[in-house]
């Protein structure tokens, strides 16, 4: 075992290959921490700090000389942003009791096998129970023999070219880690290639333009990402090789945003996102202004001016879709997103014939953020837990399926509304963003859409995102009770699933995907059975790729996140893992 390094010790060597009460401001207090070589970090009160962070920098392989600077940078960020920092290289800190005092654990350029089985189990329990993980740079070069860590981190290191300048594309500019950056960022670092592309299982925040440097080998090249992990959160960045990185204000802000995200001090939609088409990301082609006022267009950001008017996407009428957009308010401003209205140059007509999903920091419950304005209030508790306050970015997903409109705020569902007004129709019409009036300043970024094509009557294979294998009836058997599993995609009849308007997934014509015995417990097997219309045979296909058992309100899940042929399929509490994500093929 390597000797424990105090925060001031220098390592040598080279590397080879979240307007709510929970965010009330506390006085920022610099926390003086004594360097200690004790086996465990004592569970002491955090004093005036809002939360505590553990920085772990043990190396069992190559060691970065930037580690001391990284520890100091995180200490500086904590002193300035109201969190306390402990640093250690002692893996014995990974016990259930000790980890319980921290909101986030940072793996700072760790390498190799740094935790034993007992420590791994404690850390997994910590994260899945709501803790936060931040991985920096060679955290991806760590714990290759531990599958859970690979899922938590997103992708393992493969190789890298020489240190050089490259262009970073900032794909998500709503996350606290990247909101301060422009569309691109030119910087010098050591640019990792990864063994697999993590995009299908994470929300990519930054990627590399491989044409801007030499030695990229991935094509689509994520470099910074985040994702929910059971009840916890994960954030990883491949940046941070060089000592200079930790003195860079932009990189420090990236680290701060990642730490605050996993510590649940700020919120973001970190669900995996694929298949979306850009409606606005700097160009207003296809958009038309209705009514007074306007939107200023700068830095791929639309900012409202005057009103009351509406900027609407006039290029295409929409039906079933997932609409995502990032928004930010100043103070007690007012705005909204309007859906399901006929083509019009009159914003009042759009409001009278469609529905407005409200954006407003303060108002009556049916007229504040997340409400279907005047019709249905949001789930206030869920909304307040997910909402970032004025001055910070938030992300909406508006999911339209038939006459049902679901509203997700930073990845959390906060409203579920069904239209019963025969004069209106959510599923047929246009979408627009509101400029409410003088003094109401709302900004929007990255408006994108995924049109939903998996409609009742479609038949195809259903592939697991995490495993790459298909939903399959064991042995191709059409008998009642046959276990459903994953298997290599073969196109055979036992892998052809038909969705119906009743919410069934049928196979062999008259057999339905069925939760055995109408069970609701985690681990209940999924089988096939004669279709009978019961709730244990009804499934809801969600925009994020999950499939929910209606009767149990749990997700279709590959047991143990397995990837091998024959791994059984079950229901389990929805946790955002790749083993609960599915796609039609």
């Amino acid at each position: 075992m390597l000797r424990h390094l105090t925060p001031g010790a220098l390592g040598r060597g080279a590397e080879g290959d979240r307007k709510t009460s929970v965010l009330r401001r506390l006085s920022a207090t610099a926390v003086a921490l004594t360097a200690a070589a004790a086996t465990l970090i004592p569970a002491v009160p955090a004093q005036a700090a809002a939360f505590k962070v553990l920085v772990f920098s043990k190396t069992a392989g190559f060691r970065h000389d930037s580690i001391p600077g990284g520890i100091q940078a995180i200490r500086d960020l904590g002193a300035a942003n109201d969190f306390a920092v402990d640093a250690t290289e002692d893996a014995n800190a990974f016990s259930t009791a000790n980890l319980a005092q921290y909101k986030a654990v940072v793996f700072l350029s760790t390498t190799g096998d740094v935790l034993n089985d007992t420590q791994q189990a404690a850390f997994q329990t910590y994260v899945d129970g709501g803790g936060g993980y931040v991985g920096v740079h060679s955290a991806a070069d760590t714990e290759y023999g531990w599958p859970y860590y690979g899922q938590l981190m997103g992708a393992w290191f493969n190789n890298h070219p020489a240190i050089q300048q490259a262009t970073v594309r900032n794909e998500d500019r709503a996350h606290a880690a990247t909101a301060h950056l422009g569309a691109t960022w030119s910087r010098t670092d050591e640019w990792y290639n990864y063994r697999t592309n993590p995009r299908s299982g994470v929300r990519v925040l930054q990627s590399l333009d491989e044409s801007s440097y030499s030695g990229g080998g991935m094509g689509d090249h994520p470099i910074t990402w985040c994702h929910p992990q059971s009840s916890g959160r994960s954030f990883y960045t491949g940046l941070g090789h060089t000592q200079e990185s930790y003195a860079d204000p932009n990189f420090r802000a990236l680290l701060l945003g990642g730490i605050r995200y996993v510590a649940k001090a700020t919120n973001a939609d970190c669900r995996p996102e694929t298949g979306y088409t850009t409606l606005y990301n700097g160009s207003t082609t296809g958009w038309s202004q209705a009514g007074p006022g306007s939107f200023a267009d700068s830095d791929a950001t639309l900012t409202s001016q005057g009103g009351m008017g509406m900027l609407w996407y006039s290029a295409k009428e929409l039906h079933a879709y997932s609409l995502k957009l990032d928004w930010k308010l100043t103070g007690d401003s007012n705005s909204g997103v309007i859906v399901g209205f006929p083509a019009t140059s009159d914003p009042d007509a759009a409001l009278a014939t469609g529905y407005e999903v409200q954006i407003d920091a303060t108002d009556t419950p049916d007229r504040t953020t997340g409400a279907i304005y005047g019709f249905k209030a949001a789930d206030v508790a869920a909304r307040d837990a997910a909402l970032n306050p004025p001055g910070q970015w938030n992300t909406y997903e508006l999911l339209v399926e038939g006459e049902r409109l679901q509203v997700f705020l930073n990845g959390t569902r906060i409203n579920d509304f069904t239209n019963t007004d025969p004069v209106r129709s959510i599923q047929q019409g246009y979408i627009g963003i509101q400029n409410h009036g003088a003094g109401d300043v709302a900004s929007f970024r990255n408006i994108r859409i995924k049109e939903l094509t998996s409609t009742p009557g479609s038949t195809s294979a259903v592939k697991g995102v995490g495993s790459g294998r298909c939903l399959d009836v064991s042995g191709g058997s059409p008998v009642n009770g046959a276990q459903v599993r994953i298997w290599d995609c073969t196109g055979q009849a036992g892998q052809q699933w038909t969705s119906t308007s009743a919410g069934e997934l049928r196979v062999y014509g008259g057999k339905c995907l069925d939760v055995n015995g109408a069970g609701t417990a985690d681990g209940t097997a999924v089988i096939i059975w004669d279709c009978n219309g019961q709730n244990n045979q009804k499934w809801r296909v969600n925009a994020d790729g999950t499939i929910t058992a209606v009767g149990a309100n749990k997700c279709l899940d590959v047991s143990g996140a397995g990837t091998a042929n024959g791994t059984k399929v079950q229901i389990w509490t929805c946790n955002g893992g790749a083993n609960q994500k599915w796609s039609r093929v």
Side-chain angles (χ1 to χ4, degrees), residues 519-541:
T520 60
D522 283 348
T524 303
V526 174
I527 60 174
I528 61 167
W529 201 269
D530 291 333
C531 297
N532 55 37
Q534 300 301 306
N535 275 347
N536 64 309
Q537 294 185 351
K538 293 183 180 179
W539 304 85
R540 184 171 64 250
V541 179

Side-chain angles (χ1 to χ4, degrees), residues 68 115 141 221 461 560:
L115 300 177
D141 190 24
H221 197 143

Side-chain angles (χ1 to χ4, degrees), residues 155 192-198 210 213 215-222 225:
Y192 277 8
N193 295 309
Y194 300 93
R195 297 184 181 185
T196 57
N197 189 321
E210 289 194 343
Y213 73 104
M218 296 181 63
D220 174 28
H221 197 143
W225 56 78

Side-chain angles (χ1 to χ4, degrees), residues 165-171 177-178 180-189 191 205-209 212 223-224 237 239-240 245 248-255:
Q165 188 176 64
T167 299
V168 179
R169 298 189 181 108
N170 298 306
E171 296 189 20
T178 49
H180 64 292
L181 297 169
T184 61
W185 182 21
S186 181
R187 59 171 281 113
T188 297
D189 215 316
W191 306 111
L205 305 179
Q206 298 178 309
S207 59
L208 294 178
D209 178 355
S212 68
I223 197 67
T224 302
T237 181
L239 284 62
S245 293
D248 177 359
N250 282 327
F251 180 68
R252 284 191 168 204
L254 181 85
L255 278 180

Side-chain angles (χ1 to χ4, degrees), residues 320-322 397 399-401 404 406 408 413 450 452-456 458 460 462 471 497-500 502-506 513 538-550 554-556 580-584:
Y321 56 86
S322 167
E397 179 190 7
L399 179 59
V400 172
E401 297 173 293
R404 182 184 185 191
Q406 298 179 73
F408 294 79
R413 188 171 68 175
K450 179 193 286 187
L452 306 180
T453 57
S454 181
T455 57
S458 63
S460 68
V462 178
L471 195 64
W497 300 90
T498 302
S499 58
T500 74
E504 303 160 325
L505 286 169
R506 293 192 173 216
L513 191 68
K538 293 183 180 179
W539 304 85
R540 184 171 64 250
V541 179
N542 305 306
D544 65 353
T546 58
I547 300 176
T548 305
V550 171
K554 292 188 174 179
C555 279
L556 189 66
Q580 294 184 351
K581 302 293 178 68
W582 306 86
S583 63
R584 286 278 191 177

Side-chain angles (χ1 to χ4, degrees), residues 22-307:
V22 299
L23 285 181
R24 63 188 179 86
R25 280 202 165 288
L26 301 174
S27 301
T29 302
V31 181
L33 299 173
T34 303
T39 295
L40 292 178
I41 295 167
V44 295
Q47 299 179 19
F51 58 90
K52 293 181 69 176
V53 172
L54 176 63
V55 180
F56 182 57
S57 54
K58 179 179 177 179
T59 54
F62 295 98
R63 184 168 182 83
H64 286 74
D65 60 8
S66 59
I67 287 175
I71 294 172
Q72 187 58 51
I74 297 171
R75 290 192 186 279
D76 293 345
L77 290 171
N81 294 279
D82 201 19
F83 61 87
V85 178
D86 291 331
T88 190
E89 298 198 351
D90 190 339
N92 288 310
F94 285 75
S95 69
T96 299
N98 191 59
L99 291 173
Q101 65 182 304
Y102 299 105
K103 291 293 187 180
V105 176
V106 181
F107 277 51
L108 178 63
S109 287
T110 52
T111 54
D113 188 1
V114 293
L115 300 177
N116 65 29
D117 291 349
T118 301
Q119 294 157 356
Q120 289 175 359
F123 189 52
Q124 180 171 344
T125 298
Y126 164 79
V127 176
D128 287 352
Y133 163 83
V134 172
V136 181
H137 195 56
S138 64
D141 190 24
T142 302
E143 292 290 346
Y144 290 98
W146 184 20
Y148 175 83
Y149 184 81
Q151 179 186 5
L152 175 65
M153 184 184 54
W156 273 302
F157 165 83
N158 186 26
N159 55 46
H160 65 80
I163 296 171
Q164 59 193 291
Q165 188 176 64
T167 299
V168 179
R169 298 189 181 108
N170 298 306
E171 296 189 20
D172 184 320
R173 297 172 63 211
H175 196 286
T178 49
H180 64 292
L181 297 169
T184 61
W185 182 21
S186 181
R187 59 171 281 113
T188 297
D189 215 316
E190 182 180 72
W191 306 111
Y192 277 8
N193 295 309
Y194 300 93
R195 297 184 181 185
T196 57
N197 189 321
R199 188 178 292 273
S200 64
V202 303
R203 173 60 173 143
V204 175
L205 305 179
Q206 298 178 309
S207 59
L208 294 178
D209 178 355
E210 289 194 343
S211 70
S212 68
Y213 73 104
S214 299
M218 296 181 63
D220 174 28
H221 197 143
I223 197 67
T224 302
W225 56 78
C226 59
H227 67 95
Q229 177 63 44
S230 190
S231 295
R233 295 178 176 183
S234 172
F235 173 93
Y236 169 80
T237 181
L239 284 62
H241 171 87
T242 66
Q243 296 184 47
E244 292 81 3
S245 293
Y246 297 92
D248 177 359
N250 282 327
F251 180 68
R252 284 191 168 204
L254 181 85
L255 278 180
L256 176 62
I259 291 169
R260 285 177 51 78
Y261 164 71
V262 305
K264 300 180 180 177
T266 191
N267 296 298
D269 189 348
C270 281
R271 298 172 299 169
E273 183 175 308
T274 58
Y276 283 76
T277 299
T278 298
L279 300 185
Y280 169 80
N281 200 14
S283 170
T284 55
T285 299
W287 292 81
S288 301
Q289 178 70 29
S294 62
F295 282 85
D297 183 5
S298 177
D299 189 29
T301 305
L302 294 167
T303 303
S304 65
Q305 303 176 134

